[in-house]
Amino acid sequence: MTRLTGRALRLTVLVGENDTWHHKPISAEIVHRAHTAGLAGASVFRGVEGFGASSLIHTSRLLSLSEDLPVAVVIVDTEPRVRAFLPQLDELVTEGLVTLDECEVIRYTGRDDDPGETGRKGKKSL
């Protein structure tokens, strides 16, 4: 498992949920590529409302506009590792927003870090 504490870089990719790469959601492709690249982690968050460069508002509140909601893919790792990953986004993200922010990792642990303390589903073992 990757150990990560202290200074890091947060990569955020904002795209639409209908954006695809070879008939697969682009957010899933970004996550899988981040995993393959050995990055510390990636998460996808679905928005309820938003607009981008096209100025078209997408919202889940109106049925007629509930398509193509905003999706954020967030990746955190060391600066060199995140920057090395950026060229893959050049290929994938043709519409959207890609940002980088410095951040500080306070805690980064997984379920298997202390096998005696938690079970496979995160529950404490007796």
Side-chain angles (χ1 to χ4, degrees):
M1 179 181 135
T2 302
R3 299 286 177 200
L4 182 64
T5 56
R7 291 182 50 151
L9 206 57
R10 177 178 48 229
L11 167 65
T12 304
V13 182
L14 298 167
V15 292
E17 69 179 341
N18 291 341
D19 293 346
T20 59
W21 174 259
H22 295 220
H23 309 292
K24 178 179 178 181
I26 196 167
S27 57
E29 182 66 19
I30 293 169
V31 168
H32 289 283
R33 287 188 184 202
H35 185 259
T36 300
L39 294 174
S43 297
V44 178
F45 301 94
R46 185 175 187 229
V48 295
E49 189 167 11
F51 72 93
S54 68
S55 291
L56 179 63
I57 293 179
H58 302 274
T59 180
S60 62
R61 292 186 287 177
L62 301 173
L63 290 177
S64 63
L65 297 176
S66 64
E67 300 172 1
D68 203 25
L69 291 171
V71 174
V73 182
V74 179
I75 298 169
V76 176
D77 207 321
T78 63
E79 182 171 352
R81 293 170 61 86
V82 169
R83 290 199 181 275
F85 183 71
L86 290 177
Q88 294 202 48
L89 296 179
D90 290 338
E91 177 184 15
L92 295 172
V93 181
T94 57
E95 294 180 24
L97 177 67
V98 178
T99 64
L100 292 173
D101 301 290
E102 290 183 5
C103 63
E104 182 179 357
V105 175
I106 304 300
R107 181 180 172 105
Y108 177 66
T109 58
R111 291 184 183 155
D112 296 334
D113 284 353
D114 186 358
E117 188 172 317
T118 58
R120 297 191 114 191
K121 295 186 180 182
K123 296 179 182 176
K124 294 209 181 228
S125 301
L126 298 176

